[in-house]
């Protein structure tokens, strides 16, 4: 009985040693994300450049939109315009609007430049200036959406290239086909697919953030423009 227990104990120790050796070997051969990216080839380089471009545009546009939104959210500007108009000091109101370097300031300044004309003409001038301001705010945002669409497509291109490379090596090998040839090509193909999806997901999220901020700025501009038109409709 004792000899059987010793035998079982010896087998368990051997099994544990085998598992530990296997885990250690797997840990030593574990591939990092950086190594996976390098194995993806030139496709991964293209994806990296597109991602950097999209992130740069996002940061630049996000800061610009935050600045514009902060300017429109401040009611002090419209309060000062209203005070000057009620006091009959239109020149001071016009000067304040001209010196306010925000989308709202430029829209109100355009409205003051049309004073003396019918109110529909003033409103049309403000709306036209508003469209120009929105176009400036949306500058390069479409590139982020483009990268979001191109990312998965370029990743799929890498998949096709990797599979073609694998089968080409197998064709050249003739009867000396090795599974390693196919595995290498499939590995490259899968890495580029994952890379393309990651770039697409990140850029899709960034684009939606920018679009939501732009919509918020546009809403604020419309509210303030309506306030200005209501101010002009008030009796002197």
């Amino acid at each position: 009985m004792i000899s059987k227990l010793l035998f079982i104990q010896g087998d368990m120790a051997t099994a544990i040693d085998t598992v530990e050796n296997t885990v250690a070997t797997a840990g030593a051969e574990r591939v990092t994300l950086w190594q996976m990216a390098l194995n993806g080839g030139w496709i991964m380089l293209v994806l990296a450049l597109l991602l950097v471009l999209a992130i740069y545009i996002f940061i630049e546009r996000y800061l610009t939109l935050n600045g514009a939104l902060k300017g429109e959210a401040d009611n002090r500007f419209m309060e000062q315009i209203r005070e000057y108009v009620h006091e009959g000091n239109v020149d001071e109101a016009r000067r304040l609007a001209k010196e306010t370097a925000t989308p709202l300031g430029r829209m109100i300044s355009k409205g003051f430049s049309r004073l003396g004309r019918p109110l529909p003409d003033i409103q049309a001038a403000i709306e036209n200036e508003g469209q120009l301001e929105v176009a400036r705010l949306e500058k390069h945002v479409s590139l982020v959406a483009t990268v979001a669409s191109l990312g998965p497509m370029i990743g799929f291109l890498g998949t096709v290239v990797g599979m073609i490379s694998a089968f080409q090596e197998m064709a050249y090998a003739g009867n000396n086909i090795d599974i390693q040839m196919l595995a290498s090509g499939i590995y490259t193909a899968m890495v580029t697919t994952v890379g393309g999806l990651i770039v697409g997901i990140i850029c899709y999220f960034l684009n939606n953030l920018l679009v939501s901020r732009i919509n918020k700025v546009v809403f604020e501009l419309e509210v303030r423009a309506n306030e200005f038109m209501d101010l002009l409709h008030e009796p002197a």
Side-chain angles (χ1 to χ4, degrees):
M1 183 66 177
I2 295 176
S3 60
K4 290 183 178 180
L5 290 175
L6 293 175
F7 179 76
I8 294 173
Q9 185 177 2
D11 287 345
M12 291 179 63
T14 303
I16 292 173
D17 291 339
T18 302
V19 171
E20 290 178 349
N21 293 333
T22 303
V23 172
T25 302
E29 296 178 354
R30 186 174 299 168
V31 180
T32 63
L33 292 176
W34 176 249
Q35 291 173 335
M36 290 178 61
L38 292 178
N39 290 332
W42 63 271
I43 294 291
M44 296 299 292
L45 177 61
V46 174
L47 291 174
L49 292 176
L50 290 175
L51 181 59
V52 170
L53 174 63
I55 292 176
Y56 171 78
I57 294 174
F58 170 77
I59 294 175
E60 188 271 333
R61 286 292 89 192
Y62 193 83
L63 295 176
T64 301
L65 292 170
N66 273 353
L69 190 59
K70 183 179 179 180
E72 275 69 68
D74 189 5
N75 292 327
R76 182 58 183 165
F77 172 74
M78 290 304 300
E79 289 176 359
Q80 290 179 334
I81 293 293
R82 186 177 293 104
E83 290 176 1
Y84 287 139
V85 172
H86 286 167
E87 294 171 358
N89 196 351
V90 178
D91 292 337
E92 193 66 21
R94 182 184 290 111
R95 181 195 61 80
L96 176 62
K98 189 175 182 180
E99 293 178 354
T100 303
T102 62
L104 178 59
R106 288 186 285 269
M107 288 174 59
I108 301 302
S109 179
K110 179 64 70 173
F112 276 122
S113 68
R114 297 296 189 270
L115 284 182
R117 299 184 181 183
L119 290 179
D121 293 347
I122 299 176
Q123 185 171 4
I126 293 176
E127 290 177 353
N128 292 336
E129 182 65 25
Q131 292 176 359
L132 293 176
E133 293 297 330
V134 172
R136 294 189 186 101
L137 294 175
E138 292 177 342
K139 183 180 179 181
H140 301 317
V141 173
S142 60
L143 288 177
V144 180
T146 302
V147 174
S149 301
L150 280 179
M153 296 174 64
I154 294 176
F156 181 70
L157 174 63
T159 302
V160 175
V161 171
M163 296 301 295
I164 291 175
S165 176
F167 285 109
Q168 188 177 29
E169 290 184 4
M170 292 177 64
Y172 289 156
N175 294 328
N176 299 321
I177 297 177
D178 187 3
I179 191 64
Q180 185 65 27
M181 299 178 183
L182 184 61
S184 177
I186 294 177
Y187 179 78
T188 301
M190 294 299 100
V191 168
T192 56
T193 301
V194 172
L197 290 175
I198 291 175
V199 171
I201 291 171
I202 293 175
C203 294
Y204 181 78
F205 177 73
L206 297 181
N207 180 70
N208 284 346
L209 282 180
L210 291 178
V211 171
S212 66
R213 300 297 288 183
I214 291 173
N215 290 337
K216 192 170 183 179
V217 173
V218 170
F219 175 77
E220 291 291 338
L221 289 175
E222 291 177 350
V223 170
R224 305 306 176 189
N226 289 333
E227 289 182 6
F228 179 71
M229 293 305 302
D230 291 339
L231 178 62
L232 296 182
H233 280 87
E234 293 178 2

